[in-house]
Amino acid sequence: KLMNKLFADRVTDVPRSFIREILKDALLPGTISFAGGLPNRELFPLEGIQKATNKVFDTIGKDVLQYSNSEGYLPLREYIAAQYAKQGLSVPVESVLITSGSQQGLDLLGKTLINDNDGLIIEEPGYLGAIQAFSLYRPKFLPVPVTSAGMDLEKFKKSMNEGKPKLIYTVPNFQNPSGITYPNKNREAIANIVKDTKCLLIEDNPYGDLRFEGESQTSFKKLIPDNTILLGSFSKTVVPGFRIGWIVAPSELMEKLIIAKQASDLHTNQLSQCIIHQFLMDNDLNEHIKKITKSYGHQKNVMIECLEKYFPKEVTFTRPEGGMFLWATLPKGISALDLFQLSAKEKVLFVPGDPFYINNKGVNTLRLNYSCVDAETIEIGIKRLAQSIKLLIEKTID
Ligand code: PMP
């Protein structure tokens, strides 16, 4: 503990990623993991990326290995702007900044917008990576519960009035960790509350394209364009290893974001940007996304069927229309951390709810990932997990 005195205050309170810790255990042979947040590697378009890579070296040559500009590779920014235009969203190319994953977008937004104790509304449960990224800038988190109906409007209004937030962080489509999508009615109500304020709403949307059923809902960018910052990513639709994401922000903020980006890493990896762009030019992304959603949709259905069949009736769960996760709620008083201890012995892993909350500890909720586990393994894993739940309920009642 000799070094403790050396650390900056801003890192002393930030927890290590619990998910990364348990992912280590997931590598043990024979373990069934519903814990990861990974896209399914079987669906990576390896051949297309290999071809795109060769083409980039053949056509661009040495320049692809040179330093480049901080805003990102222009043709890639143009592609992203054009995709938004197809969805009816007005996004000028200049408002797109390529980042090293949307995770860096969160960090850059923290850097440019958060002073100590600034109010920041965050979903509860919320994306762990955002809690971690923002924590470094020491905001005052204002957690607002999210249910299948979207954000709790009463609590949202209260936090807006009393907390005087500068920022609102949302994942309105197939949220990580809950799989919930805010219905349009909820989005409109939130937009009405935010529209005449100076508050900025971050719409983090890495899963939006992975819809396997239902109707797509309206982007906040459409409802309150001046208040909305978009975050996007190719991690779930192409591959995460390239670390390519983006921020869409108004011009005044963009100036500051570019300074922060330069200070952080000068620019995003140029080779990855060029390869992904070439891949997008030579392949139909929508066709590729259809393959992903077909597979995830099937795995989600299998998981829901197994939950209905094997879990005790008191356990409830969300029914995602897209994305990679669902969220289960155990009976009151049953700790998901206790369940984790028990089920890890049976070689089944998931993420207990605790790290997704700002304050609550020992919660009765958990995240289940279905994107990386095939149908047969889902059944075996859920059956085993159900046994552990039953055991824990009996033990707790005794
Ligand atoms: N936001 C959310 C809600 C996520 O789930 C993730 C990845 N797990 C990210 C952002 C970061 O993704 P990336 O940096 O790979 O774009």
Side-chain angles (χ1 to χ4, degrees):
K1 297 280 168 205
L2 212 62
M3 290 195 75
N4 269 1
K5 280 196 197 121
L6 297 177
F7 297 134
D9 294 342
R10 75 178 77 84
V11 297
T12 48
D13 302 334
V14 181
R16 284 178 67 134
S17 170
F18 183 74
I19 297 186
R20 291 214 185 292
E21 305 284 312
I22 55 180
L23 269 178
K24 276 191 244 151
D25 294 333
L27 298 175
L28 292 176
T31 299
I32 297 176
S33 177
F34 302 122
L38 311 181
N40 194 331
R41 67 194 281 285
E42 301 303 325
L43 296 161
F44 290 169
L46 189 65
E47 203 182 309
I49 285 175
Q50 225 162 2
K51 282 194 180 136
T53 306
N54 288 334
K55 203 159 165 186
V56 160
F57 280 118
D58 290 343
T59 54
I60 309 180
K62 284 182 178 162
D63 283 340
V64 80
L65 303 171
Q66 187 55 282
Y67 279 122
S68 192
N69 63 17
S70 301
E71 291 84 347
Y73 184 49
L74 185 60
L76 185 61
R77 295 165 71 212
E78 286 169 345
Y79 173 90
I80 292 165
Q83 291 299 111
Y84 282 121
K86 280 187 199 157
Q87 299 166 35
L89 296 177
S90 156
V91 170
V93 180
E94 308 79 61
S95 67
V96 181
L97 168 67
I98 307 289
T99 54
S100 175
S102 49
Q103 190 64 32
Q104 186 184 41
L106 296 168
D107 181 57
L108 298 181
L109 290 169
K111 240 182 204 135
T112 47
L113 292 165
I114 303 175
N115 285 322
D116 276 23
N117 262 323
D118 277 348
L120 190 165
I121 289 184
I122 190 146
E123 298 159 325
E124 185 165 81
Y127 170 48
L128 178 57
I131 298 175
Q132 210 181 26
F134 294 142
S135 288
L136 284 161
Y137 302 100
R138 310 170 95 196
K140 181 178 69 198
F141 284 113
L142 306 164
V144 173
V146 169
T147 67
S148 300
M151 268 208 182
D152 181 321
L153 288 176
E154 284 315 308
K155 298 234 167 73
F156 181 72
K157 270 185 224 162
K158 194 160 181 269
S159 293
M160 285 293 283
N161 290 333
E162 293 172 10
K164 303 266 172 282
K166 217 182 214 182
L167 284 172
I168 303 159
Y169 173 73
T170 66
V171 185
N173 295 315
F174 325 127
Q175 194 234 19
N176 181 2
S178 69
I180 285 167
T181 296
Y182 300 13
N184 272 341
K185 209 170 130 219
N186 185 256
R187 294 175 191 231
E188 284 154 18
I190 291 169
N192 271 330
I193 299 167
V194 176
K195 84 170 179 258
D196 295 319
T197 68
K198 288 208 168 66
C199 213
L200 290 173
L201 183 146
I202 302 168
E203 178 170 357
D204 185 6
N205 192 27
Y207 304 104
D209 289 331
L210 304 187
R211 175 176 283 282
F212 34 72
E213 59 199 46
E215 296 291 314
S216 98
Q217 303 293 297
T218 313
S219 163
F220 282 111
K221 179 72 180 164
K222 186 130 212 176
L223 299 171
I224 36 171
D226 297 340
N227 297 78
T228 304
I229 299 167
L230 291 171
L231 290 183
S233 175
F234 290 116
S235 290
K236 312 302 190 300
T237 50
V238 186
V239 286
F242 278 149
R243 312 301 305 121
I244 305 287
W246 62 90
I247 310 181
V248 174
S251 58
E252 269 175 278
L253 174 58
M254 187 51 74
E255 272 176 44
K256 303 290 182 208
L257 286 170
I258 290 170
I259 295 169
K261 172 73 183 164
Q262 282 169 348
S264 284
D265 61 356
L266 303 182
H267 65 78
T268 298
N269 184 310
Q270 176 77 352
L271 180 58
S272 309
Q273 292 187 72
C274 293
I275 295 173
I276 235 169
H277 176 258
Q278 191 63 56
F279 173 81
L280 295 166
M281 291 299 101
D282 297 344
N283 296 273
D284 184 342
L285 184 61
N286 285 335
E287 282 306 310
H288 181 61
I289 288 174
K290 268 189 212 152
K291 268 192 225 158
I292 301 176
T293 50
K294 190 168 168 224
S295 175
Y296 291 3
H298 174 63
Q299 282 155 257
K300 186 273 301 184
N301 285 340
V302 171
M303 187 175 271
I304 296 266
E305 277 163 29
C306 292
L307 295 177
E308 282 170 343
K309 190 162 158 197
Y310 298 114
F311 269 25
K313 290 286 161 280
E314 309 92 285
V315 181
T316 58
F317 42 85
T318 59
R319 289 161 190 271
E321 296 185 335
M324 313 194 318
F325 306 107
L326 64 78
W327 187 245
T329 305
L330 303 168
K332 271 211 173 73
I334 307 282
S335 152
L337 270 176
D338 291 345
L339 179 63
F340 180 79
Q341 305 293 350
L342 211 60
S343 76
K345 284 200 197 107
E346 304 298 322
K347 291 195 169 174
V348 178
L349 302 180
F350 59 85
V351 186
D354 281 38
F356 303 107
Y357 296 79
I358 302 294
N359 297 315
N360 304 5
K361 289 288 161 271
V363 296
N364 61 337
T365 45
L366 53 124
R367 187 185 80 177
L368 295 170
N369 164 275
Y370 46 76
S371 61
C372 290
V373 195
D374 63 51
E376 209 179 314
T377 316
I378 288 177
E379 174 147 21
I380 301 168
I382 294 297
K383 214 164 153 179
R384 263 194 234 161
L385 185 55
Q387 279 308 324
S388 298
I389 295 177
K390 284 176 193 156
L391 242 161
L392 189 63
I393 294 179
E394 278 168 27
K395 253 174 104 187
T396 315
I397 291 170
D398 279 355

